[in-house]
């Protein structure tokens, strides 16, 4: 079965850190771009990052630069999202998604999504 499974969410105080995991199974991890997204209550889903399979580079949304860092462990077929200095406005459900067509996290080709993991930043 082709799937992505996120984990690592939870409750954290402002200024704290969390590392989310996105474990892929059932498909060739190396040939897919993996994107991180989030959706806060009452808001639209927004993009955080894209680790492209075309050139191995990782891109971040401007608002996410500096606090969020993506890494990967190919042996574990897992991508990580390290989040530092978290703020209440980072509270959201965080998703990872895979694009195996364009390799660039093209919106139209993100056809594998995880179930999401909830991050709550609150004191």
């Amino acid at each position: 079965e082709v799937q992505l499974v996120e984990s690592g969410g939870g409750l954290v105080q402002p200024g704290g850190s969390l590392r989310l995991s996105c474990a892929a199974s059932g498909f060739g991890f190396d040939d897919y771009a993996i994107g991180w997204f989030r959706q806060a209550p009452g808001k639209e889903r927004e993009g955080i990052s894209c680790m492209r399979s075309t050139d191995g580079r990782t891109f971040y949304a401007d608002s996410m630069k500096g606090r969020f860092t993506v890494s990967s462990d190919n042996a574990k077929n897992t991508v990580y999202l390290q989040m530092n200095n978290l703020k209440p406005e980072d509270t959201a459900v965080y998703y990872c998604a895979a694009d195996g067509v364009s390799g660039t996290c093209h919106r139209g080709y993100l056809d594998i999504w995880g179930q999401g993991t909830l991050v709550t930043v609150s004191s």
Side-chain angles (χ1 to χ4, degrees):
E1 180 183 3
V2 173
Q3 64 177 354
L4 293 169
V5 178
E6 302 96 336
S7 60
L11 175 64
V12 61
Q13 292 187 343
S17 298
L18 277 178
R19 190 179 76 159
L20 306 183
S21 300
C22 170
S25 62
F27 64 96
F29 181 81
D30 289 350
D31 296 329
Y32 283 70
I34 303 295
W36 281 100
F37 301 82
R38 70 183 185 184
Q39 188 165 18
K43 295 187 177 181
E44 293 188 355
R45 184 176 294 170
E46 63 176 330
I48 298 171
S49 65
C50 176
M51 186 176 69
R52 306 195 316 188
S53 59
T54 50
D55 56 11
R57 298 174 66 187
T58 300
F59 292 85
Y60 299 89
D62 287 342
S63 60
M64 310 296 176
K65 291 179 180 178
R67 295 191 300 123
F68 292 3
T69 304
V70 172
S71 62
S72 65
D73 184 337
N74 287 356
K76 296 182 178 180
N77 249 21
T78 299
V79 177
Y80 303 98
L81 179 66
Q82 177 69 42
M83 306 185 296
N84 299 325
N85 190 23
L86 285 163
K87 306 174 181 180
E89 51 265 41
D90 294 318
T91 295
V93 178
Y94 285 71
Y95 301 88
C96 59
D99 164 14
V101 178
S102 75
T104 62
C105 302
H106 188 284
R107 184 180 297 271
Y109 298 129
L110 289 162
D111 57 359
I112 305 172
W113 287 82
Q115 82 290 351
T117 186
L118 176 63
V119 172
T120 303
V121 185
S122 175
S123 56

